[in-house]
C-alpha cells in the first residue's frame, strides 16, 4: 500500500479540495437548518456548528458528529484499516459518490461504528477509549489469535526496584524555563506580528512556496504557491476565513475553517499555560538523542495533549494533540526544530506536522522569519469578490 502513496496523496489533495467544495456547496443549500440536536458530552464544538446529518445526505450512525470532524473521522478510519477512501466509497471514472451504499464494506463499517459507540458507552463511561485502530492496527482483518510460539515474557521490575526516582521540576518551572529560553516574558509580551517565508513540503515530497503572516492572537494570512493549481491565498481576520485561488474567492466553512483556525494564533505554541484546564509533569523521555520533560494536559477545548521540552535548552520540541471524536482520539503531532535567534527571540525554522490527513502532514521549512514588522491589516480580510453569481 505504501508504494502507491505518491499517486495517492496527489489524488487525495485534489479529493480533499473536492470534498471541501462539496461541503461549502451543501452549507449554501441547507439554508440554516438550525436543528438543536444535542452533541455528545465528549464533543466540545464551537457554538452552533452543524452536525454531519444536517449537512450530508446519508448519515445513519455518525449522527451528532460535528461537521468539521467528518473528514478527520473518515481519514481516521482509512488510516486505521490501511485502506483508501475507495475501500468503502464508490468512485466511477474519477467521480466520487460518497452517498452511495453500494459497497458492502461501507455497511460493515457502519456496523463497526455502532459497535465502537456501544462499547465505549457501556464499558468505558462514554469516553472514546476503543477505536477502529484498537483492533485493526492498519489492516482490514484484525488478528485475534496470538502467533505461536509465544515470545518469552521477561519479568517487569517492580516499581520500587526500578531506578531511583529523580526529582522532576514542576509544570510551572518547565513552562517558566521555556519562556526564558524563548527570550523572556518581556519579549513575549512585546510580540505583535510574525511573518515567515519558506517552503511547505508535502507528505509525498512536493515542495511548495509558502508564506505566513500572523498578527496577535487571531489574524492570519497565508500564501501557498503550487506548481499545477497556481496560488492559494487564505486568511482569517478573527471572525471569518476565506480562500482565494484560480477558482475564485470563497468563504471557508466547516472542516476547512477548523483546520485554518488552528494556526492563526501567534501565541499558540508560546503562551501555553492558559490553554490548559489541567497540566502536570508526566516524566522524562527522549526525542532522538535529546532528553525531554513531558507535560500532560487537557486543553480548554477538551483535547489531551503532551508537550515535550528539551531538558537542557528548555525549548518546546514536540506537541501531540488528541482530539476526542465519537469513534476515537484523533492524533496530531507537531515537531519544532532548528530554533534560531530572531531579534532576541528563539523561533523554530522547521515545523513538521504529522496528521492522519495526508494533506496536512507536511514539513514547513522557513528561510526568513521577521518579528514585529507591521502587517497591512487588509491582508487578513476576505478580498472583495469580482461580480459573482453565487448569493
Ligand atoms: C472503512 C470505511 C470507510 C472509509 C475508508 C471511508 N469512509 Fe466515508 N463513510 C463511511 C461510512 C460508513 C459513511 C456513512 C456514515 C453514517 O452512515 O453515519 C461514510 C460517509 C462519508 C461521507 C458522507 C456521505 C453522505 O452524503 O452521507 C463522506 C463525504 C465521506 N464518507 C468521505 C470519505 C472520504 C473522503 C474518505 C477517505 C479519506 C472516506 N470517506 C473513507 C465509511 C468509510
Ligand atoms: C473490537 C475490535 C474491532 C474494532 C474496535 C473495530 N473492528 Fe472492524 N473488524 C473487526 C473484526 C474482528 C473484523 C472481521 C475481520 C474478518 O472477518 O476477518 C472486522 C471487520 C471490519 C470490516 C470488514 C472487512 C472486510 O474484510 O470485509 C470493516 C470495513 C471494518 N471492520 C471497519 C471498522 C471500522 C471503520 C472501525 C471503527 C469505527 C472498526 N472496524 C472497529 C474488529 C474490530
Amino acid at each position: 500500500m505504501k508504494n502507491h502513496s505518491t499517486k495517492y496523496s496527489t489524488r487525495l489533495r485534489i479529493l480533499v479540495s473536492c470534498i471541501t467544495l462539496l461541503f461549502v456547496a451543501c452549507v449554501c443549500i441547507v439554508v440554516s437548518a438550525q436543528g438543536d440536536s444535542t452533541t455528545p458530552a465528549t464533543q466540545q464544538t464551537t457554538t452552533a456548528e452543524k452536525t454531519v446529518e444536517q449537512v450530508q445526505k446519508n448519515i445513519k450512525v455518525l449522527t451528532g458528529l460535528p461537521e468539521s470532524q467528518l473528514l478527520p473521522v473518515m481519514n481516521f478510519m482509512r488510516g486505521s484499516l490501511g485502506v483508501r477512501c475507495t475501500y468503502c466509497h464508490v468512485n466511477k471514472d474519477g467521480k466520487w459518490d460518497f452517498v452511495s451504499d453500494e459497497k458492502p464494506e461501507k455497511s460493515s463499517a457502519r456496523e463497526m461504528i455502532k459497535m465502537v459507540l456501544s462499547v465505549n458507552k457501556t464499558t468505558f463511561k462514554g469516553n472514546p477509549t476503543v477505536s477502529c485502530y484498537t483492533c485493526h492496527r492498519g489492516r482490514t482483518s484484525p488478528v485475534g489469535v496470538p502467533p505461536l510460539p509465544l515470545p518469552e515474557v521477561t519479568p517487569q521490575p517492580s516499581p520500587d526496584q526500578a531506578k531511583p526516582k529523580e526529582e522532576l521540576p514542576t509544570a510551572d518551572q518547565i513552562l517558566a524555563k521555556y519562556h526564558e529560553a524563548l527570550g523572556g516574558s518581556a519579549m513575549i509580551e512585546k510580540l505583535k506580528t510574525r511573518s515567515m517565508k519558506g517552503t511547505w513540503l508535502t507528505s509525498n515530497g512536493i515542495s511548495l512556496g509558502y508564506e505566513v503572516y500572523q498578527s496577535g492572537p487571531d489574524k492570519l494570512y497565508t500564501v501557498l504557491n503550487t506548481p499545477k493549481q497556481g496560488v492559494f491565498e487564505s486568511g482569517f481576520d478573527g471572525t471569518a476565513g476565506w480562500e482565494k485561488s484560480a477558482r475564485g474567492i470563497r468563504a471557508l466553512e466547516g472542516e476547512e475553517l477548523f483546520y485554518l483556525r488552528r494556526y492563526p494564533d501567534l501565541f499558540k505554541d508560546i503562551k501555553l499555560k492558559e490553554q490548559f484546564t489541567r497540566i502536570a509533569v508526566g516524566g522524562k523521555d527522549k526525542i532522538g538523542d535529546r532528553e525531554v520533560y513531558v507535560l500532560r494536559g487537557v486543553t480548554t477545548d477538551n483535547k489531551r495533549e503532551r508537550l515535550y521540552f528539551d531538558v537542557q535548552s528548555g525549548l518546546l520540541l514536540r506537541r501531540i494533540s488528541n482530539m476526542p471524536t465519537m469513534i476515537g482520539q484523533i492524533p496530531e503531532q507537531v515537531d519544532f526544530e532548528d530554533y534560531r535567534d530572531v531579534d532576541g527571540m528563539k523561533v523554530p525554522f522547521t515545523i513538521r506536522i504529522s496528521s492522519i490527513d495526508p494533506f496536512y502532514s507536511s514539513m514547513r521549512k522557513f528561510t526568513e522569519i521577521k518579528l514585529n514588522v507591521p502587517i497591512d491589516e487588509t491582508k487578513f480580510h476576505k478580498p472583495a469578490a469580482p461580480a459573482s453569481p453565487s448569493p
Side-chain angles (χ1 to χ4, degrees):
M1 275 147 260
K2 290 262 155 17
N3 45 334
H4 296 299
S5 69
T6 311
K7 273 186 204 159
Y8 175 39
S9 293
T10 329
R11 282 220 207 130
L12 202 87
R13 270 189 45 213
I14 296 159
L15 162 73
V16 168
S17 10
C18 294
I19 297 164
T20 35
L21 272 177
L22 179 121
F23 280 178
V24 173
C26 292
V27 171
C28 299
I29 294 162
V30 182
V31 190
S32 78
Q34 297 278 354
D36 58 352
S37 59
T38 44
T39 42
T42 48
Q43 257 87 59
Q44 291 261 324
T45 56
T46 45
T47 39
E49 185 181 348
K50 291 203 172 75
T51 55
V52 272
E53 70 277 15
Q54 294 177 310
V55 178
Q56 303 293 333
K57 293 206 181 76
N58 188 13
I59 299 298
K60 297 202 170 109
V61 290
L62 289 173
T63 41
L65 185 78
E67 180 209 354
S68 64
Q69 291 182 1
L70 179 68
L71 212 53
V73 158
M74 289 297 145
N75 267 305
F76 181 81
M77 299 203 296
R78 187 186 58 78
S80 297
L81 271 68
V83 295
R84 304 177 181 195
C85 310
T86 46
Y87 181 72
C88 297
H89 293 292
V90 177
N91 184 314
K92 283 193 182 115
D93 308 320
K95 277 223 166 84
W96 288 98
D97 184 357
F98 291 113
V99 180
S100 164
D101 284 342
E102 197 178 306
K103 293 211 165 169
E105 287 80 5
K106 188 177 178 190
S107 314
S108 305
R110 277 207 177 103
E111 290 310 309
M112 291 280 154
I113 295 169
K114 276 199 266 181
M115 181 230 341
V116 166
L117 293 179
S118 140
V119 75
N120 283 328
K121 191 172 165 203
T122 53
T123 311
F124 297 99
K125 303 187 179 119
N127 297 314
T129 310
V130 170
S131 78
C132 316
Y133 193 78
T134 309
C135 299
H136 281 271
R137 308 261 152 180
R139 55 211 291 177
T140 50
S141 309
V143 180
V145 205
L148 294 176
L150 286 175
E152 195 70 35
V153 181
T154 46
Q156 294 284 316
S158 61
D160 44 300
Q161 267 181 312
K163 55 183 173 182
K165 269 231 165 79
E166 190 188 331
E167 274 293 326
L168 292 171
T170 64
D172 277 342
Q173 285 167 335
I174 291 170
L175 291 170
K177 185 173 174 189
Y178 174 49
H179 276 190
E180 215 40 60
L182 284 175
S185 29
M187 292 294 290
I188 292 169
E189 289 315 315
K190 267 196 339 215
L191 188 62
K192 295 279 181 296
T193 70
R194 178 166 62 197
S195 50
M196 314 194 273
K197 285 184 185 160
T199 52
W200 167 311
L201 217 75
T202 66
S203 54
N204 52 341
I206 299 171
S207 174
L208 311 170
Y210 186 45
E211 289 174 37
V212 187
Y213 300 85
Q214 289 167 293
S215 175
D218 58 3
K219 294 195 177 91
L220 176 79
Y221 169 68
T222 70
V223 186
L224 197 60
N225 251 299
T226 73
K228 291 200 182 114
Q229 291 156 301
V231 179
F232 285 79
E233 286 171 82
S234 61
F236 186 68
D237 61 9
T239 36
W242 54 271
E243 182 188 81
K244 185 180 172 189
S245 70
R247 281 190 240 119
I249 302 164
R250 63 197 181 88
L252 296 183
E253 305 271 355
E255 191 255 352
E256 282 185 311
L257 187 59
F258 162 80
Y259 275 107
L260 185 75
R261 286 188 70 157
R262 291 188 305 177
Y263 301 110
D265 189 352
L266 180 55
F267 303 106
K268 171 99 197 285
D269 299 309
I270 297 177
K271 293 185 179 175
L272 293 165
K273 200 177 166 186
E274 60 210 47
Q275 298 170 35
F276 291 86
T277 52
R278 287 204 300 277
I279 189 156
V281 181
K284 243 175 146 179
D285 202 344
K286 271 195 145 185
I287 295 180
D289 57 359
R290 309 298 301 172
E291 285 208 291
V292 286
Y293 291 126
V294 186
L295 291 190
R296 289 168 187 275
V298 179
T299 61
T300 49
D301 59 351
N302 202 28
K303 288 180 183 152
R304 279 166 200 283
E305 292 206 355
R306 268 171 293 156
L307 304 166
Y308 298 77
F309 296 87
D310 191 310
V311 169
Q312 278 191 335
S313 71
L315 292 168
L316 177 67
L317 299 187
R318 176 172 291 171
R319 183 169 189 173
I320 298 178
S321 179
N322 289 331
M323 175 175 75
T325 72
M326 289 162 101
I327 61 143
Q329 306 264 351
I330 299 190
E332 184 186 75
Q333 177 174 314
V334 185
D335 285 289
F336 305 93
E337 295 161 24
D338 189 16
Y339 275 93
R340 294 187 216 163
D341 196 272
V342 179
D343 302 329
M345 264 197 97
K346 285 272 186 302
V347 186
F349 273 64
T350 297
I351 297 177
R352 204 190 290 267
I353 298 178
S354 313
S355 159
I356 48 142
D357 186 328
F359 179 72
Y360 291 100
S361 292
S362 58
M363 181 151 88
R364 298 158 197 201
K365 264 180 171 298
F366 298 103
T367 47
E368 184 189 296
I369 298 182
K370 288 183 181 159
L371 302 179
N372 299 326
V373 173
I375 300 171
D376 181 3
E377 278 286 314
T378 57
K379 266 192 160 72
F380 306 115
H381 298 302
K382 188 174 158 195
S388 126
S390 57

